[in-house]
Amino acid sequence: MAKAGAQLTRQGWLGRVRSAQRPLALAASLVVSALAIVSGIDRETRARPDLAASLPLQFGPNAQAALAHGRLAENDFGAARGHAEAAVLSAPIEPDSTALLGAARAGSGDLAGAERAFLVAGRLGWRTPITQFYWMQGALDVGDERVAALRLDAILRADPALVGNRNLLAPLEASEAGREALSVQLRAAPDWLERYGGDVDALTLPEAAIRADVLGRLARSGHPLGCVAAGPLTRRLVYLGDIALGNDFWRRHCPGRSGSLIADRTFGDLQVNQPASPFDWTVIGDSDVSVTVDPAGAGQQRLLLASSASFPRKILMQLIVPPPGNYRLSWSATVAGGAPRDRIVATVSCRPDAQDWLTPALDPASKRYFVDLSVDASCTGRWIGFGLLPGNDAVSFGSVDFRPR
């Protein structure tokens, strides 16, 4: 690691941090998660640096470390350095104070002194996030994405919530080599993997696409997330408008859904409550409609449907991504005794709320209902929806198919 540190430049470690809105605010904030060793009043000054000003020096190094932390957040590197030096003198083997000293030296332009401090901090203990961050940036400066990913992994294992800090992740995610190195660390399924795949509601489309790339590499290496864990990022991509990428990501991480244009044709994995993604079946709740899951054996299920409404009610929908062409959508709908019943209608549209129902025909040979349709390039995704017409008898519905004709 000394080799990486020796080649740091002001535009390197400190320059990367200065690109944030508040220079060194990231480094200072990372320290907070590491300061949980000391007890009593002195520990409280860690969380509230303003308390430290009223404490005498004999309360120990944490009061000075807290003041150093506060000055770093304010970009007052000279004052931060003085407080950090006092903290180190009070407790020379305490790694957090030495890391603060390194950050203060870097902020004031003393990169050689910063390196010396972080070398000591590293020998004292690698659990301090700011130390890991320093060496992560050093590794990036010399093009060693593998080591940078190791350092980032250590930071996130200590505090998985830091996955939400874009300034921390962006330097490694920015390059092809960095994304590959990050995906390699994720193969060990660290605690922060769940947050990396799930804490996505604040991501922009470019950020979500980068995350899909990293996790796509993970899937291609034989480590798919699974349908439920892949759901949040899939939903985010669809919400942001990239339906094609969402579909690709979903199918890579949910391989059981990738055998046909329609996922879960026989409802074997259907969840009446919230589905994992829009590429699964969504059951639409309605007080006038009863939907009961009826096991059909061999991993299949059918839906037993009844309605008291006087007009068609949408009961089910799924988002698919078919290429332009001619298709046949078909399904089975029967009543007690197995006779076909024509109370199920369908819609295939660019809009999820569409109710332009298509009237099906019955294939006398297969006893299946079907509609033939053409798909153009006007939209990437098509919402398949099914509705139930008024009637007194319960309908058994299942075995949906959508294929070229």
Side-chain angles (χ1 to χ4, degrees), residues 79-268:
R81 183 169 181 163
H83 292 304
E85 288 172 346
V88 171
L89 286 174
S90 298
I93 61 171
E94 203 278 312
D96 298 330
S97 298
T98 307
L100 279 169
L101 178 58
R105 286 175 174 176
S108 58
D110 182 7
L111 297 180
E115 181 188 350
R116 290 194 299 271
F118 279 114
L119 281 169
V120 173
R123 288 196 294 268
L124 292 174
W126 283 101
R127 295 182 64 85
T128 303
I130 195 172
T131 302
Q132 296 281 8
F133 180 69
Y134 176 86
W135 292 115
M136 172 186 139
Q137 295 288 14
L140 287 171
D141 281 349
V142 297
D144 194 340
E145 285 81 4
R146 183 190 67 83
V147 170
L150 285 169
R151 301 278 71 86
L152 178 60
D153 178 53
I155 293 171
L156 297 178
R157 284 177 185 267
D159 188 354
L162 288 174
V163 164
N165 192 317
R166 292 298 309 152
N167 288 327
L168 181 61
L169 294 173
L172 197 58
E173 290 181 331
S175 70
E176 178 88 9
R179 294 192 293 274
E180 179 63 25
L182 191 54
S183 74
V184 170
Q185 292 303 308
L186 289 172
R187 294 177 192 176
D191 290 344
W192 55 276
L193 172 57
E194 181 178 356
R195 286 181 176 268
Y196 191 76
D199 291 358
V200 297
D201 289 347
L203 296 182
T204 64
L205 181 55
E207 291 167 349
I210 286 174
R211 194 157 298 187
D213 180 22
V214 173
L215 293 172
R217 295 165 189 265
L218 181 65
R220 290 192 294 274
S221 72
H223 301 80
L225 295 176
C227 300
V228 174
L233 184 53
T234 301
R235 293 192 294 271
R236 184 64 180 167
L237 288 165
V238 171
Y239 174 79
L240 294 171
D242 199 332
I243 293 174
L245 180 57
N247 182 61
D248 178 72
F249 177 78
W250 170 249
R251 289 175 178 260
R252 287 187 185 278
H253 288 278
C254 191
R257 304 289 204 275
S258 60
S260 63
L261 287 170
I262 286 187
D264 194 18
R265 295 175 48 249
T266 58
F267 302 150

Side-chain angles (χ1 to χ4, degrees), residues 260-330:
S260 63
L261 287 170
I262 286 187
D264 194 18
R265 295 175 48 249
T266 58
F267 302 150
D269 296 305
L270 182 141
Q271 300 292 323
V272 175
N273 299 319
Q274 178 68 33
S277 90
F279 300 106
D280 256 336
W281 292 113
T282 297
V283 177
I284 301 170
D286 192 309
S287 60
D288 292 329
V289 176
S290 169
V291 179
T292 304
V293 177
D294 183 20
Q300 302 182 24
Q301 299 182 125
R302 295 179 68 85
L303 299 183
L304 194 61
L305 309 173
S307 174
S308 60
S310 58
F311 50 90
R313 305 302 291 262
K314 184 175 281 190
I315 53 171
L316 199 67
M317 65 179 184
Q318 180 183 130
L319 180 61
I320 65 171
V321 183
N326 298 317
Y327 293 90
R328 170 167 291 188
L329 173 64
S330 65

Side-chain angles (χ1 to χ4, degrees), residues 17 22-35 46 69-70 72-73 100 129-130 159 162 165 167-168:
V17 180
R22 302 185 64 190
L24 284 176
L26 168 61
S29 68
L30 291 175
V31 177
V32 175
S33 66
L35 305 179
R46 297 281 198 173
H69 166 267
L72 279 174
L100 279 169
I130 195 172
D159 188 354
L162 288 174
N165 192 317
N167 288 327
L168 181 61

